[in-house]
Amino acid sequence: MSDTPSSRPARPPHEGIPPVDLPDDVRLDTRAVREGLPRSRWGENSEALFLTSSFVQPDAASAAARFGNEEEAFIYSRFANPTVAMFERRLAALEGTEACIGTGSGMGAILLTAMALLKAGDHVVCSQSVFGATLMLLGRDLAKFGVQTTFVPPCDLPAWRAAMRPTTRLLFTESPSNPLTEVCDLRALADIAHEGGALLAVDNCFCSPALQRPVEFGADLIIHSATKFLDGQGRVVAGAVCGPRQLLDTQFMPVMRSAGLTLSAFNAWVVLKGLETLSIRVLAQSQRALELAHWLQQHPQVLRVHHPGLPSHPQHALAMAQQAGHGGAVLSFEVRSLQAGGVAAARAAAFHVIDSTRVLSITANLGDTKTTITHPASTSHGRLTEDQRQAAGIVQGLVRVSVGLDDVRDVMADLDRGLSTLPH
Ligand SMILES: Cc1ncc(COP(=O)(O)O)c(C=O)c1O
C-alpha cells in the first residue's frame, strides 16, 4: 500500500459523503445517539462496523482520481473508514466543532497535534498539572526534535502570560487536572494564546462534552482520551482531536495519512456506542462523586478532598460556570497518616485504604462505570521525582477515585473499611 503524492491537501476522504439525514435543529442528546453517516443499503438501525482494511475501487481511473483527492471515497482504513467517520462526526457534534479526527489513543491525539502544529524552534506553554505521559511527551520526547516547552501552574494566569515567547505556537492544558482537579480559566487562556498568535488545545477528558465544551470558551482544539468517559466502560484505548475543519484538513490529515496514528474501526464502533449514553452516565457519576466528596470531607481520617463541586474548592465558581454546574466524576483525597514517619507513613496509609477495598477496582484508568481507585504518586505520576511530585501537590497520602455507577453507599463502605482501620 503506498500513497500517491498529491499537490492538493490530504482531505479526509469521507468529507464529501453526506451526513446522516437529521433535521438541523435536533438537540444534542438526539445527535449523541444518531449523528454519523447515512445507513447502508441494508437499513441497519445500529451503526455498522466496517472491519475492512481497504475499499474496492470500481476501476483504475476512479482509483487514480480518489487517491489524488479529486473524488470522495473511502480508500484505505489507515486514514479513513466509515465506522471511524461516524464516530468523528458524532464527537464533533457533541463538542460543537466543525470536524474531528479519531486516533488510536489519547496520547496519539496529542502526538498528532504536536506533529501537525510544531517544528524545530517552536515553543509550547503547558500546564504543569497535565497527565504524566503528556508531561513526558512535551517535556522530554519533543525536546529531541527542537521543540521547547515551558510548564506553568494551571491556575496562575500571570505565569502563562510571562511564559509566552515570539515562537510560542501552542498552549496546552487539562481542566480539571488529574488528580488535584485544579480548574483553569479557559476563556483567559484562549485570550492569552490568541494575543500571542498561538492556539489553545484543551484535553477535555475529565469532563467530556457532557459537562464542558471548551470551544465555547475560545479553545481551538479539543483533545480526548476516548479511553475514558467517551467509551465509559473500560473496553478500548482510543483518542480524538476536534477542531476547525480547515485546520484539521490542511495540517492534521497529511500527518494522519503518513504517521499511522489510526483509530481501529472496532474501537471506533465501541466508542461510538459509548457516546450514546455519555450524558446520562457522566451526570449520574458526577452526582455520585459530589455525594462521596461531601462524605469524605467530614471523615475524621481524611485531611482534604479535591473536587470542583465542593464550595471549598478554590475554583468552585469558575468550575460551575465552565462545567454546566457539575463538578465531574473524579475526586482525590489525602489520607490522614496516623503514624509518624513522613512520606513513607503517608504512602502506607494510602496503600492501606486502597488495599482494604473489596468492591472498587484498583486501576489507574478513569471514566468507567465501575468505580476505580489509584495512588497517583506511584502510578500515573510515578515517573516524576519526589521533588517534582511535592511541587505539583501529588503527595504520597493522596488517593484518586473515579466514581462510576456503583451505589455510592457501597463506595463509602468500601473506603471506610480502610479509613477506619488505619494503623496507629
Ligand atoms: C487526562 C488524560 N489525557 C490523556 C490521557 C492519555 O490517554 P490514552 O491512555 O488513551 O492514550 C490520559 C490517560 O490516562 C489522561 O488521563
Side-chain angles (χ1 to χ4, degrees), residues 156-280:
D156 185 348
L157 292 175
W160 285 89
R161 243 180 240 110
M164 295 294 287
R165 299 181 192 167
T167 51
T168 306
R169 301 278 170 262
L170 181 67
L171 275 65
F172 190 100
T173 196
E174 280 170 30
S175 188
S177 70
N178 177 18
L180 296 175
T181 73
E182 299 147 287
V183 175
C184 302
D185 186 336
L186 299 181
R187 168 69 61 198
L189 291 189
D191 289 345
I192 295 171
H194 298 156
E195 280 159 23
L199 299 178
L200 173 64
V202 176
D203 182 330
N204 200 25
C205 163
F206 262 49
C207 273
S208 89
L211 302 186
Q212 172 173 275
R213 306 210 308 165
V215 79
E216 291 171 359
F217 305 102
D220 302 284
L221 292 160
I222 322 306
I223 310 279
H224 273 288
S225 167
T227 318
K228 308 299 183 305
F229 290 97
L230 304 192
D231 169 13
Q233 285 147 86
R235 298 166 294 190
V236 297
V237 173
V241 183
C242 302
R245 180 172 299 287
Q246 171 75 6
L247 181 69
L248 295 196
D249 286 1
T250 56
Q251 283 182 254
F252 285 63
M253 270 316 288
V255 177
M256 205 50 207
R257 265 183 103 130
S258 51
L261 295 161
T262 316
L263 171 60
S264 82
F266 179 79
N267 289 358
W269 182 81
V270 170
V271 184
L272 176 73
K273 304 310 282 179
L275 289 180
E276 297 182 2
T277 53
L278 178 71
S279 120
I280 51 169

Side-chain angles (χ1 to χ4, degrees), residues 82-104:
T83 308
V84 177
M86 286 189 258
F87 162 68
E88 292 169 340
R89 288 206 172 154
R90 193 169 286 180
L91 183 57
L94 296 185
E95 281 292 1
T97 58
E98 290 171 348
C100 167
I101 298 177
T103 54

Side-chain angles (χ1 to χ4, degrees), residues 306-341:
H306 306 277
H307 184 261
L310 292 174
S312 56
H313 186 282
Q315 298 93 37
H316 173 68
L318 176 64
M320 293 301 100
Q322 272 180 188
Q323 299 172 198
H326 301 279
V330 182
L331 59 81
S332 59
F333 61 95
E334 212 177 309
V335 180
R336 189 184 294 279
S337 166
L338 299 181
Q339 292 174 311

